[in-house]
Each structure stands twice: as structure tokens, then as C-alpha cells.
Amino acid sequence: MSRAPDAALADHHASATSHKGLHYPFGDRAPEPGELIEVAPGVHWARLPVPGALKHINVWTVEEEGGVAIVDTGLPLDDCKDAWRAIFDGPLAGRTVTRVIVTHMHPDHLGLAGWLTRKFGVRLWMTRGEYLTARLLVADARPEPPEDVLAMWRGAGWSDDQIAAATARGWSMFARALHKLPDGYVRVQAGGRLGAFDTIVGSGHSPEHLCLVDPARRVMIAGDQVLPRISSNVSLTMLEPDGDPLGEWLDSLARFRAELPGDLLVLPAHGSPFTGLHTRLDALIEGHEKQLARLEERLAEAPRRAVDCFGVMFARTIDDKLLGMATGETLAHLRYLEQRGRAVREDRDGVWWWRR
């Protein structure tokens, strides 16, 4: 573990904890609304509220030439805006915001990017795949889901009532979850530099997920690419129905394992900062491999639809609130098996049946 988190611990009287091979130098300590906690020299942690099971998103501020950069933004909710205002009126009072950096396109990360960039007159920095995909989804807002999406729901085994309920919600939820995006952005590419940080890009959870690694301070801003206690959702979508997002995800994790040192302080979007990167990457890869093996065994018993596989995939009951995410994740695993000759898909009147 680097010296940086030790120094922050002394400042904040936190008690370090460990769990499943990971070390949490801040223990249960987390920023209160309007507070910044220094996790490494010049790198500060804030936490914003989000609805649902996750409850929060971690965002970061980074000291750089001319002021401070913001990394990730939160949702366009009054509570999130109020939390930012408290930070700007408190620990960042009088400071210059230099730019807004977003790890990936999901609304809890990108939602307030437009609000912040306009507030401070600065640019948004993202990878091309993330920014353009977000712009596409915003532009595609419409009263009803596209036919290809309806076909995917039918193929996965959704009931007529489930399809009708999802259709009634329309196809503009993504657009509604973002403040108006900036019309332009600054492209970030893998293998480059962003201030003091190296840029490394993963895929699977989102198209081109940006992570920032500072070898000198031994810090990694990880977004959703590496979370300490949960595995990020990896879903097959109709934007790329013949893709292999789980394959991309596992390849990314293996590449990170090979390229990154194991002693980095990992700053995740959800949960607490931790050390033990290699241990966590190994656990994520192993978890998916076990899940794929269980799924393959289930398909050997009899052909299954995606909805028939939820019991293998998830430890909790999948209700209508979780149906879309669970379907995308299950299809990604089934697609992974299909791509590698471990499963075959048969279309029966628009319903997809998978067998070993």
C-alpha cells in the first residue's frame, strides 16, 4: 500500500479494514455531503446520492496545472446538484475548474456533465466510443421502443404483459437521465496521458471505458471497470446484437491484470477505495467463469430461454424493475458460450432457445 492513503487516514481518523483479500484503508469512512477527502496527494473523493440499491456514486477531483479537474459527475438530480454546490462553496471555493472528465456514458457518471461544463465554461473529456454512443442514445429518444428491441425481449422469453409494460415506458429514459450534453468534447485515447495520469481503456460494461492510472501516486481511478464488492453489469444490447460484450469484458480484465501493478490504490465508482487490484481482477474473472460453467450445465439438461436462466445467473428474484438488466446480462453470457462453440441458439417463432 502506498504512503498516500496512510497520510489521509491520519487526517480523518479512519480505521482500515480488510475483506476477501482486499484492504480498505479508509474503512467505513466516506465523504459527507459537501466534503472532500484526500485519498492521495492532490486527489480528493466526494460522494453523491443516487436512487436504488447502489445509493451513491463516488466522484473525484484532481489537482492539475491551473486548477482542479472533475472526474465523473452524478445524475441530474437536485440532490446531486446541491452536493456539488456545497463543494464549490466549501472546499473548492475560489478554485478554477479546468475540465470535466467522464469515465463512461452511463447516466450516473455522465448525467451532470453538461451542467458542469456550462457552469464553468470548460470542455468535456471522454473516449470517442462513450461520447458518441451517448449522443446516439439521446438522439434516438422516441415514444416506443424500436422493433429490434421488442424482438430481443420476445427472443429472451418475456411475456406479453412484460413487453407491454416496458413499451408503455417509452424509449427515452436515457435521454431523460442526462442534463443536455455539450455539443462537442475532447477525445481521450488509450495509451495516452491526461495530466499526470496514464489512460487505459476497457470494454464490455460500456464501449470504451476510461480508467486513469498515476504510477507516481500509485492511484487508479477505475469508474465501474473494477468495483470492490460487486461485478459491473455486462449486457448484450440491440446496438450490437451480434457482439460479445462478456468476451470484451474478460479480455479487458485480463489485460489490466497483466499491465497494471497490483499495489495501486483503486478508486471505484461504487464502494470504498481499496488495494488488492490483482486479487479483485482474479476474483471477477473466476466469478464469471464459474457462472458460465453453471450456465452450460443448465443448457445441457434441456433447451432454455434467457428468462429460464435467471436462477443460475442471479442469487435474487428478478422482478420487473430488474428484468431489463438481468436479460441483457444473461444474453451476454449465452452469447459468450455461443461464440466459443459451447452453446447453440435456435429461433422458434421469434423466441430464442439455447442448448449446449
Side-chain angles (χ1 to χ4, degrees), residues 14 28 54 64 73 83-84 116 144 191 197 240 254 257 275 289 325 331:
D28 295 331
L54 289 176
E64 59 181 13
T73 72
W84 275 122
L116 288 167
E144 294 184 354
F197 290 87
E240 197 174 348
R257 177 68 163 82
T275 58
E289 288 176 344
M325 187 175 292
L331 287 173

Side-chain angles (χ1 to χ4, degrees), residues 242-288:
D242 296 321
D244 182 22
L246 183 59
E248 294 182 23
W249 173 253
L250 292 173
D251 288 347
S252 294
L253 297 182
R255 177 164 48 83
F256 281 30
R257 177 68 163 82
E259 295 178 359
L260 297 176
D263 65 344
L264 296 172
L265 176 66
V266 182
L267 309 181
H270 309 285
S272 296
F274 69 94
T275 58
L277 174 61
H278 288 180
T279 297
R280 184 57 183 150
L281 291 170
D282 290 342
L284 287 168
I285 293 169
E286 182 182 359
H288 281 288

Side-chain angles (χ1 to χ4, degrees), residues 29 31 45 53 65 83 85 87 119 163 178 180 200 355:
R29 180 84 166 96
W45 171 24
E65 185 177 354
R85 291 186 182 106
I87 291 169
K119 180 178 180 68
I163 292 173
L178 298 182
K180 185 179 185 301
I200 181 169
R355 58 181 173 81

